[in-house]
Amino acid sequence: MSDVTKDPHQGNDLATPGALLEENSIVPSFARSFPRNGALDDLVRAFASGNYRKVHDQAPELASRATDPAVRDAARVLLERLQPDPLAKIILLAAVMLLAVMATWWITEARSHGGAGPHVRGGVSESTKALVES
């Protein structure tokens, strides 16, 4: 038979970004080395499915009450993965600053040239008025 009838999880590393935790649950690659723990497994499944609110709400509790240090560390890693990338924060700040500088420059240049030109100030330029009058 062809390869199409094979188990979809078998030998298809490109289709699944992580290892399988259970039948229909995918583990992100960073969580492959996490210890097996019911509450932690539930949070990993929530993270993999995009339920970040659940991870955000329950991971601190798991990190504080877990007796196994590996489970505590894993819960903290899940929380860290929810934080924005520091480089993205810097790029966003630079973009906002650039926008502010460009807006300030545009405003000061418009004032130094007498404000908006005649084509903007009256709504109709002199050449357009001449065309309409003829």
Side-chain angles (χ1 to χ4, degrees):
M1 289 232 87
S2 68
D3 288 340
V4 177
T5 59
K6 282 178 150 181
D7 180 20
H9 302 300
Q10 187 177 19
N12 193 2
D13 293 335
L14 295 177
T16 58
L20 290 172
L21 184 63
E22 288 176 359
E23 181 57 33
N24 293 321
S25 180
I26 297 173
V27 176
S29 59
F30 70 87
R32 288 182 186 166
S33 63
F34 284 0
R36 296 303 303 259
N37 175 290
L40 182 61
D41 290 347
D42 188 41
L43 288 180
V44 169
R45 276 193 294 282
F47 186 93
S49 68
N51 189 354
Y52 303 124
R53 171 58 58 196
K54 180 177 183 174
V55 176
H56 186 268
D57 292 343
Q58 294 180 8
E61 179 186 335
L62 178 62
S64 66
R65 68 175 164 83
T67 56
D68 184 6
V71 172
R72 280 196 306 260
D73 293 342
R76 289 184 186 122
V77 167
L78 282 173
L79 277 174
E80 289 172 6
R81 292 288 179 147
L82 295 179
Q83 300 303 315
D85 184 20
L87 180 60
K89 290 180 186 178
I90 292 170
I91 291 172
L92 179 63
L93 179 64
V96 168
M97 289 175 56
L98 179 63
L99 178 64
V101 167
M102 289 177 66
T104 303
W105 176 81
W106 182 74
I107 291 169
T108 57
E109 281 297 306
R111 285 188 181 159
S112 68
H113 293 294
H119 61 282
V120 174
R121 198 177 302 133
V124 179
S125 68
E126 295 300 320
S127 60
T128 305
K129 284 181 187 177
L131 283 174
V132 171
E133 292 173 356
S134 58

